[in-house]
Amino acid sequence: QVQLQQSGPGLVKPSQTLSLTCAISGDSVSSNSAAWNWIRQSPSRGLEWLGRTYYRSKWYNDYAVSVKSRISINPDTSKNQFSLQLNSVTPEDTAVYYCAKGIRGWNGQNWFDPWGQGTLVTVSS
Amino acid sequence: QSVLTQPPSVSGAPGQRVTISCTGSSSNIGAGYDVHWYQQPPGTAPKLLISGNSFRPSGVPNRFSGSKSGTSASLAITGLQAEDEADYYCQSYDSSLSAWVFGGGTKLTVL
């Protein structure tokens, strides 16, 4: 049974970098059949997919256009985890951030299961 | 404003049946991309309820069912129970955004 455990600070100052980590148990970040995602949730933006990292003989990343210039998602195979870095944050980035495993179905469609416990990140001075 | 449109709220008495709609467009649901559903009780992370339009993961009661037609999808819950009170979200893929997208969520109240 896959479990995801998030860690990272809950308060970040404007213009600084938001950093979160998601530790994986019961699966491998290097799995050839999974993708590792970050999703955030706020009252103003709802649920918003941010990006993913995945391994298919080499590492790939996909990012949402809305954050593409500021985001980096990286695997750490030595610790079986992956991380999120979001640069130049503003109060608009205040949200609950979730990591989630992306599962690819038989027809190539993707869904998210399971999700991490969530981390409320507030951007404020 | 979310790419997928859901009603903000629905309600029903215990034992009744409710449905939650999810309306998309020709770049997501209408393009043939699957719809998945999640349940989020207050203060918790979303949990997968339905994958691939109508498949229930192990452990999800058969009171929950999903369907899809055209540019819309629906989640039906029969035999409502108090524990079903939660927010429900639909999710699909949007080819014009090249991103996975969600509905705005529907709050289910069991009267």
Side-chain angles (χ1 to χ4, degrees):
Chain A
Q1 165 192 1
V2 180
Q3 291 187 310
L4 304 177
Q5 181 68 38
Q6 300 177 216
S7 59
L11 181 63
V12 182
K13 288 181 166 49
S15 80
Q16 294 193 343
T17 297
L18 180 161
S19 296
L20 296 174
T21 299
C22 183
I24 304 164
S25 58
D27 204 337
S28 171
V29 71
S30 304
S31 166
N32 271 294
S33 59
W36 305 98
N37 298 262
W38 286 98
I39 297 163
R40 67 183 177 183
Q41 184 175 31
S42 66
S44 59
R45 302 171 76 100
L47 282 165
E48 180 184 15
W49 174 80
L50 298 176
R52 66 174 183 167
T53 188
Y54 60 101
Y55 185 77
R56 302 289 186 267
S57 302
K58 68 175 186 175
W59 289 102
Y60 294 88
N61 289 100
D62 294 310
Y63 299 127
V65 169
S66 61
V67 294
K68 194 166 188 174
S69 63
R70 302 191 290 132
I71 192 173
S72 178
I73 297 176
N74 294 296
D76 183 342
T77 57
S78 67
K79 295 181 179 178
N80 200 31
Q81 63 187 30
F82 62 108
S83 63
L84 166 70
Q85 286 197 312
L86 189 64
N87 304 321
S88 305
V89 297
T90 72
E92 289 284 304
D93 295 309
T94 294
V96 177
Y97 286 75
Y98 294 100
C99 59
K101 176 183 175 181
I103 297 175
R104 183 180 176 90
W106 63 271
N107 60 354
Q109 304 293 300
N110 286 262
W111 60 87
F112 306 109
D113 183 45
W115 297 52
Q117 81 274 23
T119 302
L120 173 60
V121 179
T122 302
V123 179
S124 175
S125 55
Chain B
Q1 191 159 348
S2 300
V3 174
L4 305 178
T5 301
Q6 299 179 233
S9 63
V10 297
S11 62
Q16 285 191 332
R17 178 182 186 268
V18 296
T19 61
I20 298 172
S21 61
C22 174
T23 302
S25 67
S26 59
S27 61
N28 42 67
I29 300 175
Y33 293 104
D34 285 352
V35 177
H36 320 287
W37 292 90
Y38 302 86
Q39 179 190 57
Q40 185 178 32
T44 69
K47 174 192 163 189
L48 181 68
L49 199 61
I50 298 285
S51 65
N53 304 317
S54 59
F55 294 96
R56 283 186 309 276
S58 172
V60 174
N62 60 11
R63 301 186 296 104
F64 295 89
S65 63
S67 63
K68 174 191 157 185
S69 179
T71 58
S72 296
S74 288
L75 174 70
I77 310 172
T78 58
L80 267 182
Q81 299 180 3
E83 67 202 48
D84 298 334
E85 273 209 351
D87 293 329
Y88 291 82
Y89 295 90
C90 58
Q91 174 244 313
S92 187
Y93 182 79
D94 191 284
S95 58
S96 64
L97 297 172
S98 296
W100 285 272
V101 293
F102 294 87
T106 298
K107 182 177 181 59
L108 169 62
T109 301
V110 180
L111 301 170

